[in-house]
């Protein structure tokens, strides 16, 4: 089973941190609910609601005459018991307009027995708040905080009529545990902030790492292995080590590649020299034919120089030119090519380098069609023009009148591809095997050295050439890598 990727592991860790942060946030909220601030808020709401309900229910009973004057205290006590039963920890009572306390109840008291007495220490505060509520006809409240507990007092007027009395409630709030929860809450909050910062930091690290990895990946993929330039340093230390390793490996690869090309050129040169022995015999045969023709024409001309020499001279001159071309091509084969690469505008190069080929095509009424899909490339313009000229010369020779020769330039991977396609009879499989061997010509006026020269020039560029044939005739494909100038 394959191991998960680093990105997946970091993403899973980030999700885990997020889950911990959410769980901790829930714990912090619960701790906050147990803190003194939250307890005071809940206690004050409970006390005020109970006080308001005591005043409202009593006022309703008074308006509807639900009790007699003698039963007023009993009615108030009943209300206290019934209402305060629903408010945990709330004790309360009624205060008369004579500034005296009426019935009091604490139904949820957890001590032994029933609590009936108002705490003496709380009477002054309750008396003051009830008097203010009675005079201002508005709810009055006050909080007293001690070291261990707080007390929240509330007083509500019984009606809008002045001096009608008031209802009051009070609730005790334990603050010691609240302060402990508050400290616990702050501790959890600090941990929560630390986790959030850690999660954000981890997310930024993961994002930066992924971004740098993708940048390195794009930089590598936009080049071929054969032409990979030195990679730029990466901001990530770990990735930069990989970049250094790739650059060192690429340097060794390029050095090995250059050495390989050098050895290939030496081997090719040695192969050409070793083939001279075999070629000498064939060369002698090729030279003997024009020499025999020259000798015959001269003998005939000497019989009657005045009439025969003008007719023999053009033929003798043509045969001498043929031998000259043969010798020049043979010399070119025995010399090692020195490629002088430069960046070339391909359309300008074609328009200026093949004027004779165009004239040859026009004289035979053959159309030359060029398709340029690459604007510029680096190669030796002189030698590659010689190679392409040989291919075009053969293509025109084998193409019928009004036929077409198509030449295409396009890029494939890191190579310039040159396609030369004619509409001739094509090349058979038997001929294709000896196509690039010297003195294996299939043209009447050929010497069998043109394609050998083409092959040598292409290989000197580090490229390759092959004849792959087509449905309409011969098709030669050359691959030329970008040459470092």
């Amino acid at each position: 089973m394959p191991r998960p990727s680093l990105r997946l592991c970091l993403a899973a860790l980030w999700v885990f941190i997020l889950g911990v942060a959410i769980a901790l946030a829930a714990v912090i909220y619960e701790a906050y609910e147990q803190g003194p601030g939250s307890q005071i808020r809940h206690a004050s709401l409970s006390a005020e609601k109970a006080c308001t309900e005591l005043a409202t229910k009593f006022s309703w009973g008074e308006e509807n005459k639900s009790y007699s004057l003698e039963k007023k205290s009993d009615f108030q006590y009943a209300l206290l018991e019934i209402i305060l039963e629903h408010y945990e920890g709330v004790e309360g009572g009624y205060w008369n307009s004579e500034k005296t306390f009426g019935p009091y109840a604490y139904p949820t008291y957890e001590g032994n027995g029933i609590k009936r007495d108002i705490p003496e220490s709380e009477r002054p505060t309750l008396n003051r708040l009830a008097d203010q509520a009675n005079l201002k006809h508005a709810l009055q409240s006050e909080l007293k905080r001690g070291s261990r507990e707080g007390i929240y007092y509330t007083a509500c007027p019984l009606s809008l009529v002045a001096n009608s009395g008031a209802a009051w409630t009070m609730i005790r709030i334990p603050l010691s545990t609240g302060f402990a929860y508050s400290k616990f809450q702050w501790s959890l909050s600090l941990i929560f902030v630390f986790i959030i910062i850690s999660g954000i930091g981890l997310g930024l690290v993961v994002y930066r790492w992924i971004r740098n990895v993708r940048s390195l990946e794009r930089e590598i993929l936009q080049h071929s292995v054969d032409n990979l330039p030195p990679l730029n340093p990466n901001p990530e230390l770990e990735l930069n080590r990989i970049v250094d390793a790739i650059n060192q490996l690429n340097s060794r690869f390029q050095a090995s590649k250059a050495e390989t090309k050098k050895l290939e050129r030496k081997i090719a040169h040695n192969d050409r020299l070793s083939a001279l022995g075999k070629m000498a015999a064939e060369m002698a045969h090729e030279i003997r034919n024009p020499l025999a023709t020259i000798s015959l024409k001269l003998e005939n001309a000497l019989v009657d120089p005045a009439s025969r020499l003008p007719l023999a001279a053009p033929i003798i001159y043509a045969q001498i030119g043929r031998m000259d071309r043969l010798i020049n091509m043979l010399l070119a084969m025995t010399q090692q090519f020195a490629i002088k690469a430069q960046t070339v505008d391909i359309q300008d190069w074609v328009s200026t380098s093949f004027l004779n080929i165009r004239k040859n095509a026009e004289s035979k009424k053959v159309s030359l069609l060029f398709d340029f899909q690459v604007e510029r490339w680096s190669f030796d313009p002189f030698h590659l023009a010689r190679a392409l000229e040989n291919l075009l010369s053969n293509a025109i020779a084998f193409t019928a009148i009004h036929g077409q020769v198509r030449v295409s330039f396009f890029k494939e991977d890191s190579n310039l591809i040159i396609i030369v396609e004619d509409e001739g009879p094509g090349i058979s499989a038997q001929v294709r095997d000896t196509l690039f061997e010297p003195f294996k010509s299939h043209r009447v006026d050929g010497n069998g050295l043109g394609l050998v020269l083409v092959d040598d020039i292409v290989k000197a560029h580090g490229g390759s050439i092959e004849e792959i044939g087509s449905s309409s005739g011969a098709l030669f494909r050359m691959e030329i890598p970008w040459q470092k100038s």
Side-chain angles (χ1 to χ4, degrees):
M1 180 179 178
R3 295 179 62 183
S5 65
L6 177 61
R7 181 171 63 180
L8 181 61
C9 293
L10 291 176
L13 179 59
W14 190 85
V15 171
F16 174 75
I17 292 176
L18 179 63
V20 171
I22 293 174
L24 191 57
V27 174
I28 292 173
Y29 178 77
E30 290 297 326
Y32 172 77
E33 290 296 315
Q34 299 298 324
S38 180
Q39 289 187 354
I40 291 173
R41 186 178 68 255
H42 288 302
S44 63
L45 290 175
S46 182
E48 290 175 2
K49 186 176 180 181
C51 182
T52 302
E53 190 172 352
L54 287 173
T56 302
K57 294 292 177 66
F58 178 78
S59 297
W60 179 85
E62 191 173 38
E63 291 174 2
N64 290 277
K65 303 185 184 307
S66 301
Y67 60 89
S68 59
L69 187 59
E70 305 81 46
K71 300 291 185 179
K72 178 179 179 180
S73 297
D74 294 336
F75 180 69
Q76 289 177 336
Y77 181 76
L79 287 177
L80 289 169
E81 289 288 342
I82 294 172
I83 293 173
L84 296 182
E85 179 72 28
H86 301 287
Y87 295 93
E88 185 71 28
V90 177
E91 52 188 304
Y94 287 95
W95 181 84
N96 299 320
S97 58
E98 294 82 9
K99 297 185 180 182
T100 58
F101 288 96
Y104 161 81
Y106 190 1
T108 59
Y109 176 63
E110 295 181 350
N112 295 325
I114 301 175
K115 197 170 188 305
R116 296 291 187 183
D117 299 325
I118 302 174
E120 289 297 329
S121 59
E122 317 305 339
R123 282 177 177 267
T125 303
L126 291 171
N127 192 52
R128 175 171 50 82
L129 289 176
D131 188 33
Q132 292 176 358
N134 185 45
L135 293 175
K136 297 179 179 179
H137 307 294
L139 184 146
Q140 302 294 314
S141 61
E142 184 177 317
L143 172 65
K144 286 187 177 180
R145 303 182 65 151
S147 59
R148 300 184 64 181
E149 70 173 9
I151 303 177
Y152 191 81
Y153 306 91
T154 308
C156 307
L158 293 181
S159 69
L160 296 178
V161 180
N163 298 322
S164 59
W168 62 268
T169 56
M170 57 179 279
I171 184 171
R172 301 178 186 275
I173 309 166
L175 298 180
S176 57
T177 55
F179 286 125
Y181 272 108
S182 181
K183 293 180 180 179
F184 178 64
Q185 175 190 347
W186 278 108
S187 300
L188 290 179
S189 298
L190 290 175
I191 297 174
F192 177 76
V193 171
F194 174 75
I195 291 176
I196 291 298
I197 293 175
S198 300
I200 294 174
L202 178 62
L204 291 175
V205 169
V206 172
Y207 171 76
R208 188 182 66 184
W209 177 272
I210 293 174
R211 184 188 60 188
N212 289 324
V213 168
R214 288 178 177 173
S215 175
L216 177 60
E217 183 181 10
R218 287 194 299 269
E219 187 177 3
I220 294 174
L221 291 179
Q222 68 182 357
H223 301 283
S224 67
V225 177
D226 292 339
N227 295 297
L228 181 65
L231 301 177
N232 296 319
N234 197 283
E236 295 293 340
L237 178 61
E238 293 78 8
L239 290 178
N240 203 38
R241 292 175 182 172
I242 298 176
V243 169
D244 290 340
I246 293 176
N247 286 336
Q248 293 176 14
L249 181 61
N250 186 44
S251 298
R252 293 197 297 268
F253 173 74
Q254 295 298 336
S256 300
K257 181 181 175 183
E259 184 65 23
T260 301
K261 288 185 176 180
K262 185 177 180 181
L263 292 175
E264 287 177 350
R265 287 194 293 269
K266 288 182 178 180
I267 292 172
H269 181 63
N270 292 335
D271 288 343
R272 285 194 296 271
L273 292 178
S274 65
L276 284 177
K278 177 181 177 182
M279 292 167 57
E282 297 181 2
M283 188 67 180
H285 174 72
E286 290 291 331
I287 294 176
R288 184 182 295 115
N289 289 336
L291 283 176
T293 303
I294 292 172
S295 177
L296 179 61
K297 292 298 180 182
L298 283 175
E299 289 178 359
N300 293 334
L302 291 175
V303 174
D304 186 4
S307 62
R308 295 185 180 183
L309 187 58
L311 297 176
I315 298 175
I316 294 172
Y317 180 77
Q319 295 300 319
I320 293 173
R322 179 181 175 185
M323 287 190 295
D324 182 62
R325 288 194 302 273
L326 190 63
I327 292 171
N328 287 334
M329 295 189 73
L330 183 61
L331 289 174
M333 288 181 57
T334 59
Q335 296 174 357
Q336 189 170 357
F337 290 104
I339 298 299
K340 297 179 181 179
Q342 62 186 71
T343 303
V344 177
D345 185 297
I346 296 179
Q347 291 195 41
D348 291 344
W349 173 68
V350 169
S351 64
T352 57
S353 300
F354 303 101
L355 298 178
N356 292 332
I357 290 295
R358 292 179 185 272
K359 291 179 180 179
N360 185 18
E362 290 174 1
S363 66
K364 196 178 177 182
K365 297 182 181 180
V366 172
S367 300
L368 278 178
L369 304 178
F370 291 92
D371 179 19
F372 302 98
Q373 299 180 28
V374 179
E375 294 183 1
R376 305 175 70 82
W377 202 260
S378 177
F379 53 82
D380 186 320
F382 174 73
H383 287 301
L384 196 61
R386 293 174 64 194
L388 187 56
E389 185 176 350
N390 272 282
L391 291 178
L392 291 175
S393 178
N394 287 342
I396 294 170
F398 285 106
T399 300
I401 297 176
H402 302 299
Q404 292 181 346
V405 173
R406 292 175 292 277
V407 185
S408 303
F409 298 86
F410 59 91
K411 180 182 178 182
E412 185 178 281
D413 295 332
S414 59
N415 295 319
L416 171 66
I417 308 299
I418 304 176
I419 300 292
V420 178
E421 184 178 6
D422 61 41
E423 294 181 349
I427 299 174
S428 64
Q430 295 80 5
V431 173
R432 190 177 291 118
D433 294 337
T434 60
L435 200 57
F436 297 101
E437 292 183 8
F439 304 107
K440 301 291 184 181
S441 177
H442 301 279
R443 289 174 55 179
V444 175
D445 58 343
N447 52 38
L449 295 178
L451 290 179
V452 177
L453 180 64
V454 173
D455 187 50
D456 287 345
I457 292 174
V458 172
K459 287 181 178 178
H461 280 80
S464 62
I465 181 172
E466 60 178 338
E467 200 286 322
I468 55 180
S470 70
S471 59
S472 59
L475 189 152
F476 285 87
R477 172 189 170 98
M478 287 191 291
E479 295 186 5
I480 306 296
W482 180 279
Q483 305 296 306
K484 293 182 179 180
S485 56

